[in-house]
Amino acid sequence: MPQPPSIVWLRDDLRVADNPALLAAAEREAPVVVLYLLDEESTGVRPLGGASRWWLHHSLAALQSSLDELGARLTLRRGSARDVLPALVQEVGADAVFWNRRYSAAREVDAELKTQLRDDGVEVRSFAAAVLYEPWTLTTGAGDPYKVFTPFWKAALASEEPREPLPPPTSLDGHRAESERLDDWSLLPIRPDWAEGLRETWSPGERGAHERLEEFVEEGLSLYHRRDEPGIEATSRLSPHLHFGEISPHQIRHRVQQGISPAAARNRAKFLSEIGWREFSVNILFHWPDLATVNYRREFDAFPWGEPDPDQLAAWREGRTGIPIVDAGMRELWVTGWMHNRVRMIVASFLTKNLLVDWRTGEEWFWDTLVDADPANNAASWQWVAGSGADAAPYFRVFNPLLQAERFDPDQEYIRRWVPEVGTAEYPEPIVDLKSSRDEALAAYEAVKAAKA
């Protein structure tokens, strides 16, 4: 009798190399169903924003090509995982299901399914694939999760060395299962087609991820000490590839530790610490799963963020605030689906502190427009800037966008790239006075701090 097939359930791990779940299924030497399930219904699963849906379409198409080369096909299904996965197990007669772990509130769905399927006699195994250090492996001396990055990363570096990347399967015995059509999911924009800039900027998929990594190692890593300057190509731009799992942190870590120039080697530790910030955000989300909707520091429930002025909010979203570096960042975001990290902090500070708009409003806009909109990074970063997040000094950090531009874009190379009309009569006056709005924000933060004391 033929051996029953295994199911590999892919989520944010759209790659064939360094994919423990896929490799484990291949090693069983049984037929394999590779499943991607578009679940926008389950508890703890946040439906993707528009830019991420565009990326997902192209990433899945690239993954199908990679699976074709190995002898398998990608099975696409849509619906609630609680319904779809058990139904597929019955449909194909699978006796094993493998997946790589996720760390958001959606893990409750995984736990339920693991129990249910095992009770039905199905082998279920999950693996670590998305992070270097799983959240429960790093705790304080008291056994609590870390709440500040620096001690978290020191503990990580002092812990057991992360594993080396795993090879891809040499081949797969693909089991044919009925699949939905990717085009029927309507992930791509049609009218209007706002994705031209995304197409010009990105190459979604595993191959594109590794090409981006090589380009960074060869050209960008030696400049990484200038990573805060948005006018130069000194950052990796690997964040969307990491979010969709087209490349793993193990692969990135392994690559930057070998075969790089002395100039690049000098920046290696700092670059890896930025990968560490991603790890820290996952750690925070794991322990505080409502990070995108609830203040991490609950004293900020009393912060007087008001209803946003519709005109001011539209000006911020569209890059018409009259503050050049803010407008440059928001236009870069709209065109490319990405924004330089330093500029992300500046535009977030402007919204939450100069305009006193609730950080959740900005977080939702980024969720819809970023190709790297990640449940952990996006929410943790917005809360950090707002002061309500995991930060050792949360109360009085207000970015001055003019001083930030002078320091990090002194020749206005970045600003003029995105706001060519700056300095002309066409450019608007600032929508808010920076000094008075800063004073108002500091007074509000002082009140929150005093109330906590």
Side-chain angles (χ1 to χ4, degrees):
M1 291 182 61
Q3 190 170 351
S6 307
I7 294 174
V8 179
W9 178 21
L10 298 181
R11 289 89 74 87
D12 294 329
D13 47 2
L14 305 182
R15 62 183 184 271
V16 298
D18 196 37
N19 191 319
L22 188 64
L23 192 60
E27 289 173 347
R28 293 185 83 227
E29 298 183 350
V32 178
V33 176
V34 183
L35 168 70
Y36 182 83
L37 169 57
L38 183 61
D39 184 351
E40 300 178 298
E41 304 173 21
S42 293
T43 305
V45 174
R46 187 176 183 181
L48 297 176
S52 292
R53 291 168 68 85
W54 175 88
W55 190 288
L56 176 64
H57 176 99
H58 294 290
S59 187
L60 291 174
L63 178 62
Q64 178 60 76
S65 296
S66 297
L67 291 171
D68 284 343
E69 295 174 4
L70 294 174
R73 69 186 298 250
L74 184 61
T75 297
L76 302 177
R77 296 288 174 94
R78 189 173 194 168
S80 169
R82 290 185 176 92
D83 300 325
V84 175
L85 184 60
L88 182 62
V89 169
Q90 291 293 322
E91 177 185 324
V92 302
D95 67 349
V97 178
F98 303 123
W99 64 68
N100 297 312
R101 287 190 281 274
R102 50 187 174 180
Y103 305 99
S104 68
R107 67 182 186 273
E108 296 179 6
V109 176
D110 299 353
E112 292 176 18
L113 284 168
K114 184 177 287 188
T115 299
Q116 176 186 339
L117 292 171
R118 284 177 173 173
D119 287 347
D120 291 339
V122 178
E123 178 187 357
V124 183
R125 294 168 60 194
S126 63
F127 303 86
V131 291
L132 299 172
Y133 309 94
E134 292 196 283
W136 53 87
T137 65
L138 296 174
T139 57
T140 66
D144 298 323
Y146 284 99
K147 298 181 179 180
V148 178
F149 172 72
T150 299
F152 168 84
W153 191 235
K154 286 182 178 178
L157 295 178
S159 67
E160 184 177 350
E161 194 88 351
R163 64 168 174 79
E164 293 295 298
L166 303 171
T170 55
S171 64
L172 293 169
D173 179 7
H175 182 89
R176 297 191 68 83
E178 184 178 346
S179 175
E180 298 179 26
R181 294 180 66 252
L182 180 58
D183 288 343
D184 291 342
W185 284 1
S186 301
L187 298 174
L188 300 178
I190 300 175
R191 291 185 295 271
D193 178 6
W194 42 258
E196 180 180 356
L198 275 63
R199 290 190 292 269
E200 293 177 354
T201 306
W202 302 103
S203 298
E206 188 170 6
R207 181 175 290 109
H210 285 273
E211 289 173 353
R212 179 63 224 165
L213 175 60
E214 288 303 313
E215 182 179 347
F216 172 64
V217 168
E218 295 297 326
E219 301 176 12
L221 187 53
S222 61
L223 296 172
Y224 198 68
H225 56 287
R226 299 178 63 186
R227 66 195 173 279
D228 280 326
E229 301 176 44
I232 65 173
E233 296 288 337
T235 62
S236 73
R237 298 186 180 233
L238 286 167
S239 52
H241 299 290
L242 269 169
H243 167 58
F244 284 92
E246 299 166 348
I247 196 168
S248 76
H250 297 88
Q251 291 172 311
I252 294 172
R253 177 180 175 274
H254 178 76
R255 178 63 187 90
V256 301
Q257 287 181 327
Q258 60 175 356
I260 61 177
S261 70
R266 286 193 289 270
N267 291 327
R268 176 168 46 206
K270 183 58 185 175
F271 171 67
L272 290 176
S273 78
E274 296 300 319
I275 298 293
W277 271 102
R278 176 180 179 270
E279 302 275 322
F280 181 58
S281 295
V282 171
N283 182 72
I284 293 293
L285 180 65
F286 179 81
H287 294 287
W288 288 271
D290 53 4
L291 193 63
T293 56
V294 177
N295 288 313
Y296 175 83
R297 294 178 178 271
R298 295 309 301 268
E299 66 264 29
F300 277 81
D301 291 352
F303 191 88
W305 281 302
E307 284 295 318
D309 177 282
D311 293 336
Q312 288 188 341
L313 184 59
W316 179 79
R317 288 174 171 170
E318 297 167 12
R320 298 184 290 102
T321 67
I323 308 296
I325 198 163
V326 172
D327 293 342
M330 299 307 292
R331 295 184 194 186
E332 179 185 31
L333 172 62
W334 184 253
V335 172
T336 70
W338 186 87
M339 189 192 302
H340 187 277
N341 186 63
R342 168 61 56 171
V343 186
R344 293 190 197 202
M345 292 189 286
I346 296 169
V347 305
S349 177
F350 182 79
L351 182 72
T352 58
K353 295 171 181 177
N354 296 102
L355 300 183
L356 285 183
V357 172
D358 193 312
W359 61 266
R360 282 161 281 228
T361 299
E363 194 275 345
E364 289 174 0
W365 182 251
F366 272 28
W367 182 262
D368 192 41
T369 54
L370 281 171
V371 291
D372 64 5
D374 182 87
N377 286 350
N378 197 47
S381 297
W382 270 96
Q383 291 227 44
W384 185 90
V385 172
S388 60
D391 184 6
Y395 293 104
F396 303 117
R397 183 186 295 105
V398 180
F399 287 86
N400 183 316
L402 301 182
L403 294 180
Q404 290 281 310
E406 288 179 11
R407 181 177 179 186
F408 297 114
D409 192 32
D411 298 325
Q412 293 197 331
E413 183 175 351
Y414 175 76
I415 288 173
R416 293 190 180 278
R417 181 185 309 162
W418 295 106
V419 193
E421 76 274 21
V422 71
T424 71
E426 299 176 15
Y427 191 62
E429 292 294 317
I431 61 174
V432 68
D433 180 77
L434 292 177
K435 183 181 185 305
S436 62
S437 60
R438 178 182 186 274
D439 291 343
E440 184 179 353
L442 288 176
Y445 278 84
E446 183 64 58
V448 170
K449 183 179 181 183
K452 182 176 186 294

